């Protein structure tokens, strides 16, 4: 995407290219959060404020705060929480945990890191254009099935990656759907890796954590991130929950192995970022994060209204900062190129998220309000 | 994972310290165990980080995702300050959140089908990550070694440099210089032999220079000082022990353009792909700190930190003078490597802990070649180090260090 954008900018040096492509946060981080980090950073110059190596699993206070803020009613404790430098790194460490001998299922469409890390780990076979990688079970998520896989036609795999609210479709699974997913995993002895990076964007009463589903603690790991709530895309902070109850098929606790990986292959998230995380979870910080999320949700609303008014089938945008627009019969890279050439707006072609993304384009709702409004104006102008 | 024999070494040492504190709540326990930096970071560095952080609350100062390979200015500064004469391009420098993570990402790059050689003794992450990725085979209790790993013994008998003519060929050679735990820095001649060995065998060296700033003599500070190294070596380094960044998390890896797999494919392309897929860049705040570290003021500040820990090392070495104790290291690295011939290292560890309330690290934790040795880290507040040197001098004076016949 970056390459195409750069080429375009060379061709049209005077065009004001607007990026609604990569899901990068744009709004400044609320002061309550940055001042806590600045204080911690400067404090490292003092005898009392200096800290060296931290616990690889994360600072105790932050782990406790994450547990009490997000998981108090589902009985996930602080020692089930592993603080990280973000979801992408966690996914790779989870792949190292699982090893090359496991089979995996992903939603089709999904965040590319699940598939790419699986390939790197050696879990897959060769790629086939239009079909994806051999040995990966692609669970189709389309408008026709309400963006939830038909589990009765999904083959058993050891690991199931499930992102809800979903990147790129924006679809959030219902309580009923997740209950079926948990049962499916239970029946098959599978582990769900549940990515909840966009949970705070949920507008209705859909579950924000897989652990709201009874029985999930025996089958699921949850990955989460401060990136899209606090603008921490550059600061780097997230967490993974591995419940004590989660065991491998031989009864060995998964958390023990994950802990070993965290201690050996990682050395903890940056202590400054962790101070920021703690500030994020103060009452003021949570309020501030809600406001940031609210801002991007308003962007999404504007984008949804624009494409809907132009007669497109539009999905997502209400529970996630992504809008999933259907261009039936067209190739998504062609649509991407046409949009870029005619409106100077960068989007993301749906096929980049899996074979099921063909014919779709993802429009990200991150961006300064003025840019989002201008992009929408250009869409309207071009399509009318 | 089942093949790993114990927990990771350093959390184990932490646990020992915790247990000892519990048993002796009134004793002043001094830790010369885990190599954790203790001295505050100079303000020229922390102010840069706090300024950058405050700016994240402004439209002009806000930064989202950074390039996974690292901030361009920082990559340039690293190349300029550490590799100016070698030369290494900024495009060959990959900024990371530290060596422990880089080592694992390199293992992911190399995969489970490669063979690996490590110094014996060495930093445990090389072996443990090798086991985790599936390279190492089974652990053999009698030898204390994993069956597929080539252990290159480094001890007093061979000047702490492997006997390369009697070392089996492996795909990868992990080499740390100055060495953790032995403190030995390889000479130019020795590294020339190592590079030639790798070239001849079609091997890749993973060269760990986390402690290069501690070198006191003219031992090479980078593998790329050796001609031909660009075709055979990756270099891993860190801000942890030079800027006190153990908690902040910042390091880098150099992958030269000329480094190829046996089929001619550039290693840098694959490493870049791993970095883009399995990582999302070091914290932008840490990177702002790194840039400040490499300003002229910052470089001076880091030198003052390194000198402080080197002075600690000197104090300890001087304290043990004339006791008959065989001490290695401490001159080119912040570690002393003490030899207790004929004794098990956990026994010595426990004796030291019980009698002086000082935490060290038993040498066996670094490999079978570490048995009979104790590692003493020279990080610590000056007052603690002075106190520790007194207590240890007292204890060692009562011991006999005659080698067993």
């Amino acid at each position: 995407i970056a390459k195409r954008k750069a080429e375009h900018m060379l061709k049209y040096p005077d065009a004001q290219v607007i990026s609604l492509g990569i899901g990068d946060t744009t709004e400044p981080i609320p002061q309550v959060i940055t001042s806590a980090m600045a204080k911690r950073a400067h404090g490292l110059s003092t005898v009392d404020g200096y800290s060296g190596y931290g616990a690889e699993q994360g600072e105790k206070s932050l782990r406790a705060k994450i547990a009490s803020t997000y998981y108090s009613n589902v009985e996930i404790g602080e020692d089930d929480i592993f603080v990280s430098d973000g979801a992408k790194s966690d996914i790779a460490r989870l792949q190292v945990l699982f090893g090359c001998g496991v089979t995996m299922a992903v939603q089709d469409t999904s965040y590319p890191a699940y598939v790419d890390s699986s390939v790197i780990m050696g879990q897959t076979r060769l790629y086939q254009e239009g079909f994806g990688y051999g040995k990966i079970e692609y669970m189709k998520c389309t408008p026709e099935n309400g963006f939830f896989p038909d589990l009765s036609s999904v083959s058993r795999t050891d690991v199931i990656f499930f992102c809800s609210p979903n990147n790129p479709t924006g679809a959030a699974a219902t309580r009923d759907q997740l209950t079926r997913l948990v049962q499916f995993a239970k029946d098959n002895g599978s582990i769900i890796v549940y990515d909840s990076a966009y949970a705070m964007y949920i507008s209705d009463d859909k579950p924000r954590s897989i652990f709201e589903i009874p029985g999930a603690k025996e089958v699921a790991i949850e990955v989460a991130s401060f990136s899209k709530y606090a603008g921490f895309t550059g600061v780097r902070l997230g967490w993974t929950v591995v419940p004590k109850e989660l065991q491998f098929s031989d009864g060995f606790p998964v958390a023990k192995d994950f802990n070993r990986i965290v201690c050996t292959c990682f050395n903890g998230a940056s202590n400054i970022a962790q101070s920021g995380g703690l500030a994020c979870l103060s009452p003021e910080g949570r309020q501030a994060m809600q406001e940031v999320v609210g801002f991007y949700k308003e962007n999404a609303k504007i984008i949804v209204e624009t494409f809907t008014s132009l007669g497109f089938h539009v999905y997502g945008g209400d529970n996630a900062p992504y809008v999933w627009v259907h261009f039936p019969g067209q190739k998504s890279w062609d649509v991407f190129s046409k949009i870029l050439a005619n409106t100077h707006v960068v989007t993301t072609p749906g096929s980049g998220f899996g074979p099921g993304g063909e014919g779709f384009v993802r429009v990200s709702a991150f961006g300064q309000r003025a840019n989002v409004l201008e992009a929408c104006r250009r869409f309207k102008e071009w399509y009318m | 994972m089942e093949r790993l024999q114990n927990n990771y070494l350093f959390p184990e040492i932490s646990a020992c310290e915790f247990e000892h504190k519990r048993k002796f709540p009134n004793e002043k326990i001094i830790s010369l165990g885990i190599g954790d930096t203790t001295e505050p970071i100079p303000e020229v560095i922390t102010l840069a980080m706090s300024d950058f952080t405050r700016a994240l609350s402004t439209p002009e100062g806000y930064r989202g995702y950074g390039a996974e390979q690292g901030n361009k200015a920082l990559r340039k500064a690293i190349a300029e300050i550490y590799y100016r004469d070698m030369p290494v391009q900024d495009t060959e420098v990959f900024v990371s959140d530290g060596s422990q993570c880089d080592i694992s990402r390199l293992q992911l790059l190399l995969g489970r089908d490669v063979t690996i050689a490590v110094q014996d003794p060495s930093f445990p992450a090389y072996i443990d990550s090798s086991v985790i990725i599936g390279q190492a085979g089974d652990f053999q209790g009698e030898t204390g070694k994993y069956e597929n790993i080539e252990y290159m013994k480094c001890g007093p008998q061979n000047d702490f440099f492997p006997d390369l003519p009697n070392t089996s060929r492996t795909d990868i050679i992990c080499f740390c210089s100055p060495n953790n735990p032995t403190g030995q820095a390889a000479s130019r001649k020795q590294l020339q032999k190592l590079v030639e060995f790798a070239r001849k065998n079609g091997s890749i060296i993973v060269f760990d220079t986390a402690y290069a700033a501690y070198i006191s003599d003219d031992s090479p500070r980078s593998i790329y000082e050796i001609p031909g190294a660009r075709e055979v070596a990756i270099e891993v380094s860190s801000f942890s022990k030079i800027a006190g960044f153990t908690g902040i998390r910042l390091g880098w890896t150099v992958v030269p353009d000329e480094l190829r797999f046996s089929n001619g494919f550039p290693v840098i392309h694959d490493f870049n792909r791993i970095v883009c897929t399995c990582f999302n860049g070091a914290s932008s705040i840490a990177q702002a700190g790194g840039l400040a570290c490499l300003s002229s003021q910052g470089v001076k500040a880091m030198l003052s930190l390194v000198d402080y820990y080197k002075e600690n090392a000197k104090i300890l070495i001087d304290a043990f003078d004339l006791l008959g104790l065989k001490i290695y290291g401490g001159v080119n690295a912040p570690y002393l490597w003490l030899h207790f011939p004929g004794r098990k290292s956990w026994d010595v560890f426990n004796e030291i802990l019980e009698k002086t309330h000082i935490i060290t690290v038993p040498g066996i934790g670094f490999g079978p070649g570490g048995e009979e040795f104790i590692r003493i880290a020279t990080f610590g507040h000056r007052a603690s180090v002075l106190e520790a040197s007194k207590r240890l001098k007292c204890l060692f004076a009562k011991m006999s260090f005659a080698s067993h016949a």
Side-chain angles (χ1 to χ4, degrees):
Chain A
I1 306 293
K3 237 172 66 188
R4 300 271 187 123
K5 178 179 171 183
E7 279 165 14
H8 184 82
M9 285 172 84
L10 274 175
K11 237 168 119 186
Y12 302 93
D14 297 324
Q16 302 276 49
V17 174
I18 296 174
S19 183
L20 298 179
I22 293 173
D24 194 7
T25 48
T26 54
E27 297 313 288
I29 300 173
Q31 264 190 4
V32 61
I33 298 163
T34 54
S35 52
M37 292 195 287
K39 247 181 108 188
R40 178 77 186 267
H42 195 204
L44 293 166
S45 283
T46 66
V47 170
D48 291 330
Y50 181 75
S51 57
Y53 284 121
E56 294 92 341
Q57 306 82 353
E59 291 178 353
K60 213 166 161 41
S61 52
L62 179 57
R63 296 171 80 189
K65 201 78 178 118
I66 290 171
S68 64
T69 303
Y70 294 116
Y71 303 102
S72 59
N73 55 342
V74 296
E75 283 165 23
I76 291 284
E78 76 176 65
D79 46 358
D80 299 320
I81 311 278
F82 296 81
V83 179
S84 76
D85 63 319
K88 211 189 218 186
S89 308
D90 272 338
I91 287 160
R93 279 188 283 270
L94 284 168
Q95 293 286 35
V96 170
L97 170 77
F98 296 136
C100 61
V102 301
T103 51
M104 63 168 267
V106 292
Q107 290 162 292
D108 180 14
T109 51
S110 67
Y111 180 51
Y114 314 136
V115 169
D116 288 10
S117 61
S118 180
V119 176
I120 284 170
M121 206 56 214
Q123 296 163 357
T124 73
R125 294 226 176 86
L126 290 176
Y127 182 79
Q128 261 190 294
E129 193 72 46
F131 291 93
Y133 288 92
K135 267 184 95 181
I136 292 186
E137 180 72 10
Y138 290 87
M139 307 185 292
K140 254 189 147 66
C141 292
T142 62
E144 292 74 38
N145 63 14
F147 293 102
F148 189 77
D150 171 16
L151 294 174
S152 66
S153 64
V154 173
S155 300
R156 185 210 168 275
T157 55
D158 300 307
V159 179
I160 305 167
F161 281 90
F162 200 91
C163 178
S164 178
N166 186 267
N167 172 14
T169 67
T174 65
R175 196 164 307 270
D176 179 64
Q177 288 170 333
L178 292 179
T179 303
R180 282 189 273 138
L181 181 68
V182 166
Q183 190 58 50
F184 180 71
K186 257 199 157 65
D187 294 341
N188 286 338
S190 312
I191 293 179
I192 299 168
V193 175
Y194 190 81
D195 188 340
S196 65
Y198 303 98
M200 264 184 82
Y201 286 80
I202 294 176
S203 304
D204 48 31
D205 66 350
K206 302 210 171 65
R208 282 146 169 78
S209 163
I210 189 64
F211 302 116
E212 292 183 36
I213 311 299
K217 283 197 239 172
E218 279 95 38
V219 297
I221 291 169
E222 181 159 297
V223 176
S225 170
F226 284 92
S227 283
K228 307 297 163 68
Y229 310 151
F232 269 28
T233 40
V235 174
R236 308 308 317 147
L237 192 73
W239 72 89
T240 287
V241 183
V242 187
K244 297 176 197 62
E245 292 87 332
L246 185 67
Q247 298 176 346
F248 288 115
S249 53
D250 63 357
F252 193 86
V254 177
K256 275 190 97 173
D257 270 356
F258 188 65
N259 186 62
R260 186 45 150 108
I261 295 217
V262 157
C263 289
T264 309
C265 305
F266 185 50
N267 229 329
S270 179
N271 49 13
I272 300 170
Q274 294 193 60
S275 282
L278 207 53
C280 283
L281 300 178
S282 68
E284 224 195 314
R286 291 183 69 187
Q287 172 67 24
M289 288 198 295
Q290 295 273 24
E291 282 165 16
V292 169
V293 167
F295 177 87
Y296 295 128
K297 285 176 75 167
E298 183 59 32
N299 281 351
K301 197 158 172 280
I302 293 166
I303 296 167
V304 167
E305 279 170 2
T306 299
F307 280 99
T308 306
S309 72
L310 294 171
F312 288 98
H313 288 294
V314 178
Y315 306 96
D318 53 346
N319 284 325
Y322 298 118
V323 182
W324 190 236
V325 187
H326 198 191
F327 293 81
Q330 299 186 55
K331 288 230 168 289
S332 45
W333 273 106
D334 290 343
V335 179
F336 164 88
S337 298
K338 272 200 263 198
I339 293 177
L340 183 56
N342 289 289
T343 67
H344 306 297
V345 176
V346 181
T347 56
T348 310
S351 56
F353 300 97
E358 193 59 279
F360 288 86
V361 157
R362 186 192 79 173
V363 185
S364 132
F366 299 107
Q368 289 169 15
R369 183 59 49 79
N371 285 337
V372 171
L373 288 168
E374 171 61 13
C376 289
R377 191 196 62 74
R378 295 182 196 174
F379 293 145
K380 285 193 173 132
E381 193 179 62
W382 180 40
Y383 279 110
M384 304 253 251
Chain B
M1 295 287 302
E2 308 88 66
R3 291 191 161 116
L4 288 168
Q5 293 304 298
N6 314 296
N7 291 326
Y8 192 52
L9 176 64
F10 301 109
E12 283 289 273
I13 302 300
S14 266
C16 286
E17 180 172 355
F18 188 78
E19 182 57 27
H20 194 76
K21 272 199 180 102
R22 211 184 48 82
K23 265 163 72 177
F24 300 93
N26 298 318
E27 292 294 340
K28 184 170 183 253
I29 296 168
I30 299 175
S31 179
L32 300 178
I34 293 173
D36 193 6
T37 48
T38 53
E39 298 315 290
I41 299 170
E43 268 194 316
V44 61
I45 298 163
T46 59
L47 282 174
M49 289 193 288
S50 64
D51 284 347
F52 178 87
T53 301
R54 288 192 205 281
L56 291 170
S57 284
T58 68
E60 321 76 47
Y62 181 72
R63 299 281 180 272
Y65 284 120
E68 294 94 339
Q69 305 85 352
N71 169 277
K72 204 155 174 52
L74 179 57
R75 297 170 83 188
K76 274 199 151 84
I78 291 169
E80 169 67 11
I81 298 290
Y82 291 116
Y83 302 102
R84 182 178 314 153
D85 302 319
M86 273 153 248
V88 164
Q89 308 299 324
D90 58 325
T91 50
E92 297 170 316
V93 176
F94 293 82
V95 179
S96 76
D97 59 330
S99 302
Q100 201 152 285
C101 310
D102 271 338
I103 288 163
S104 285
R105 281 189 282 269
L106 284 168
Q107 293 286 33
L108 249 155
L109 168 77
L110 300 166
R112 75 199 146 103
D113 291 329
V114 300
T115 52
I116 187 168
V118 298
Q119 287 163 295
D120 182 18
S122 68
F123 181 51
Y126 311 132
I127 290 177
D128 287 13
S129 62
S130 180
V131 175
I132 288 173
I133 207 84
Q135 298 159 355
D138 286 322
F139 184 76
Q140 297 163 319
E142 328 84 63
T143 58
K145 299 181 177 180
Y146 287 92
E147 61 184 337
N148 295 342
I149 295 183
E150 177 74 7
Y151 290 74
M152 306 184 294
K153 206 173 173 107
C154 291
Q157 69 285 358
N158 61 8
D159 193 27
F160 290 96
F161 189 78
D163 176 16
L164 293 178
N166 288 315
T167 302
S168 300
R169 184 209 169 276
T170 54
D171 300 308
I172 310 300
I173 305 166
C174 292
F175 202 94
C176 179
S177 177
N179 186 265
N180 172 13
T182 69
Q184 296 300 305
S187 68
R188 197 165 307 271
K189 256 206 161 83
Q190 288 172 329
L191 292 181
Q192 278 166 355
K193 287 207 199 104
L194 182 68
V195 167
E196 177 53 27
F197 181 72
R199 194 198 60 77
K200 212 177 46 182
N201 285 339
S203 313
I204 293 179
I205 300 168
V206 173
F207 195 78
D208 188 341
T209 59
Y211 304 99
Y214 287 80
I215 291 174
S216 302
D217 53 24
D218 63 354
S219 302
R221 282 142 199 268
S222 163
I223 191 66
Y224 304 115
E225 290 189 33
I226 311 299
R230 285 177 59 85
E231 278 92 33
V232 299
I234 290 170
E235 182 159 298
V236 175
S237 200
S238 170
F239 283 92
S240 283
K241 308 297 162 72
I242 59 181
F245 270 34
T246 38
I248 293 172
R249 310 308 316 147
L250 193 71
W252 71 88
T253 288
V254 178
V255 185
D257 286 328
E258 291 91 317
L259 186 67
R260 303 291 156 111
F261 289 114
S262 53
N263 65 358
F265 193 83
V267 177
I268 192 172
H269 287 185
D270 271 357
F271 188 66
N272 187 62
R273 187 47 148 105
I274 298 237
V275 157
C276 290
T277 307
C278 305
F279 185 50
N280 229 329
S283 178
S284 54
I285 301 172
Q287 294 194 61
L291 206 51
C293 284
L294 299 177
S295 66
S296 54
Q297 257 196 298
V299 169
K300 280 203 196 87
M302 291 197 291
L303 274 168
S304 72
L305 280 172
V306 167
D307 280 343
Y308 187 92
Y309 298 126
K310 286 176 77 169
E311 182 62 29
N312 281 352
K314 191 164 180 298
I315 287 166
L316 289 162
I317 290 175
D318 288 346
F320 306 149
D321 196 26
L322 304 173
L323 295 179
L325 180 55
K326 289 192 188 62
I327 307 172
Y328 303 96
V331 171
N332 285 328
Y335 299 114
L336 265 51
W337 189 236
L338 310 183
H339 195 192
F340 296 86
R343 297 195 62 188
K344 288 222 166 297
S345 51
W346 272 107
D347 290 345
V348 183
F349 169 89
N350 284 321
E351 182 178 352
I352 294 175
L353 184 55
E354 279 159 35
K355 295 187 178 163
T356 68
H357 304 294
I358 293 174
I359 307 276
T360 58
V361 184
I364 189 79
F366 301 96
E371 191 65 291
E372 297 188 352
F373 288 86
I374 288 287
R375 188 191 82 172
I376 289 185
T378 70
F379 302 105
H381 297 317
R382 184 57 48 77
S384 302
V385 172
L386 285 165
E387 172 66 20
S389 69
K390 275 205 218 90
R391 296 186 198 173
L392 289 171
K393 184 182 181 127
C394 210
L395 172 65
F396 294 152
K398 301 195 194 114
M399 288 178 170
S400 125
F401 301 108
S403 296
H404 54 165

